Amino acid sequence: MSRVLVTGGAGYIGGTTVALLLQRGFEVTVLDDCSTGHADSVPAGATFYQGSILDGDVVRKALAGCDAVIHFAAKSLVGESVEKPDLYRNNNIGGSQVLFDEMDGAGISRIVVSSSAATYGDSKVQPILETHKAHPTNPYGETKLAVDNLLTDLCAEENFAAISLRYFNVAGAMKIDSGWLTERHNPETHLIPNVLKATADKPLKIFGTDWDTKDGTCIRDYVHVVDLADAHLRALDALKAGAHEIINLGSGGGYSVREVVTTSSKVVGYEIPAVEVDRRAGDPAVLIASIEKAKSMLGWEPTRDLESMISDAYQSLTAV
Ligand code: UDP
């Protein structure tokens, strides 16, 4: 039986991946400091340590008996990273370094890491290939790139086996026996939860309608969190000693903010209240993933469309 350490397993994507690992027969240990995650999001059946990846002692305890790691634990808000770059560097890069050192010490060398499209920065060419020059435009993206670079070195020098999965826009929710695993961010910045929470008093703000896109709003590539989690399990299988692969995860297509609002109105059966406001600082116009590498290397393809992401997110929000 294989045991996997999932750092950040009390978060939205981490918790969903833990649930899927357990369903597929893995044993799971979770390490999460619950700074943004929630202890009650850790699926039953996982061994849970509440602690930080910056704390070598707790990392060592959590690694006991594991033969692979899936590493989600990180600060992940672009806006906050601009205000507090040192917090992001310390937690994301420093914490990952502690984790990698402890893995090395324990003789564990297989790791799948949560990376981000934010590593690429603005791109004139869409869809974005993994070979695209990494040029992050904010400290969050810089820290994710730095972690990817650490892994490249570890694979070359210490024979680690690593895959960095670069997420585009993740949405949806997963139903498990005890209820829904869903997004619980505070403040919530992501489009789909904000669309679903919009009311006449607090309408959705559409950030910018003068972008150079078909309807003037930004275009993003959305992928269902369960499809995304499934890619992590496939990545575990695809790890090769001495190799660090970078693989994009998205749908390979894009939707504008207006299209997300229209589809959501259809799913929920009422018109989403929305107002048009200025652009949000730091937003690129279009982000679409090339997912050819995920298809060929992981045999992975998204199976759930935008309607299903919105419908699952809506059910999860109305269930709690
Ligand atoms: N967006 C919006 N209103 C919101 C939240 C997001 O118009 O309340 C837009 C945002 O400007 C971007 C897209 O929706 O163009 C996706 O934003 P999100 O924060 O979900 O993901 P990001 O692409 O920034 O990672």
Side-chain angles (χ1 to χ4, degrees):
M1 175 77 72
S2 178
R3 176 172 284 273
V4 180
L5 171 63
V6 180
T7 72
Y12 167 50
I13 303 172
T16 305
T17 305
V18 170
L20 213 58
L21 283 164
L22 292 168
Q23 281 181 4
R24 306 251 177 103
F26 287 86
E27 292 181 335
V28 180
T29 301
V30 169
L31 175 63
D32 197 303
D33 66 3
C34 293
S35 56
T36 52
H38 307 268
D40 62 4
S41 289
V42 179
T47 303
F48 177 43
Y49 289 90
Q50 183 164 349
S52 167
I53 50 168
L54 287 159
D55 176 352
D57 289 339
V58 73
V59 172
R60 208 168 309 129
K61 279 188 199 133
L63 280 169
C66 295
D67 49 36
V69 174
I70 306 183
H71 177 35
F72 295 99
K75 298 262 165 218
S76 64
L77 296 177
V78 169
E80 186 184 51
S81 80
V82 175
E83 282 159 30
K84 302 176 186 166
D86 288 342
L87 174 73
Y88 273 64
R89 284 183 199 121
N90 184 39
N91 194 84
N92 294 3
I93 307 173
S96 296
Q97 186 68 67
V98 172
L99 173 67
F100 300 159
D101 285 349
E102 293 299 335
M103 286 176 65
D104 204 21
I108 302 166
S109 57
R110 300 172 61 238
I111 183 163
V112 175
V113 172
S114 154
S115 186
S116 168
T119 52
Y120 296 120
D122 286 336
S123 174
K124 290 199 172 52
V125 186
Q126 305 285 342
I128 299 177
L129 286 158
E130 291 83 352
T131 48
H132 188 280
K133 192 172 161 15
H135 191 71
T137 51
N138 54 63
Y140 166 66
E142 283 166 20
T143 64
K144 287 281 162 178
L145 179 61
V147 172
D148 287 348
N149 290 339
L150 283 175
L151 283 170
T152 304
D153 291 347
L154 276 168
C155 289
E157 290 158 16
E158 306 294 339
N159 217 28
F160 266 47
I163 293 182
S164 295
L165 297 173
R166 291 196 170 156
Y167 315 153
F168 282 64
N169 289 65
V170 188
M174 179 179 187
K175 191 157 187 347
I176 57 172
D177 290 346
S178 54
W180 286 89
L181 293 170
T182 190
E183 278 189 88
R184 292 159 70 190
H185 300 125
N186 188 17
E188 185 52 76
T189 59
H190 290 137
L191 178 63
I192 290 177
N194 281 349
V195 163
L196 297 172
K197 285 174 187 161
T199 60
D201 288 344
K202 284 196 172 171
L204 172 78
K205 291 180 182 155
I206 296 179
F207 295 136
T209 52
D210 58 350
W211 294 95
D212 185 15
T213 58
K214 56 187 172 185
D215 65 16
T217 63
C218 288
I219 294 177
R220 293 289 181 274
D221 182 343
Y222 297 88
V223 59
H224 196 293
V225 65
V226 176
D227 283 331
L228 189 89
D230 175 62
H232 291 71
L233 275 70
R234 290 168 185 263
L236 276 182
D237 264 353
L239 290 170
K240 287 202 173 61
H244 177 214
E245 296 291 348
I246 288 174
I247 302 178
N248 290 340
L249 295 178
S251 71
Y255 291 96
S256 72
V257 174
R258 284 196 207 282
E259 285 172 331
V260 171
V261 173
T262 308
T263 308
S264 301
S265 296
K266 203 170 93 188
V267 169
V268 301
Y270 59 83
E271 191 156 338
I272 302 291
V275 290
E276 296 176 3
V277 300
D278 286 347
R279 292 178 176 192
R280 185 172 69 176
D283 270 341
V286 183
L287 278 178
I288 297 173
S290 162
I291 56 167
E292 295 312 310
K293 191 167 175 184
K295 285 184 190 168
S296 61
M297 193 162 271
L298 305 179
W300 176 86
E301 228 175 325
T303 61
R304 297 162 177 84
D305 62 8
L306 183 67
E307 263 189 52
S308 135
M309 290 178 226
I310 295 168
S311 165
D312 287 350
Y314 183 59
Q315 288 184 62
S316 72
L317 289 175
T318 46
V320 286

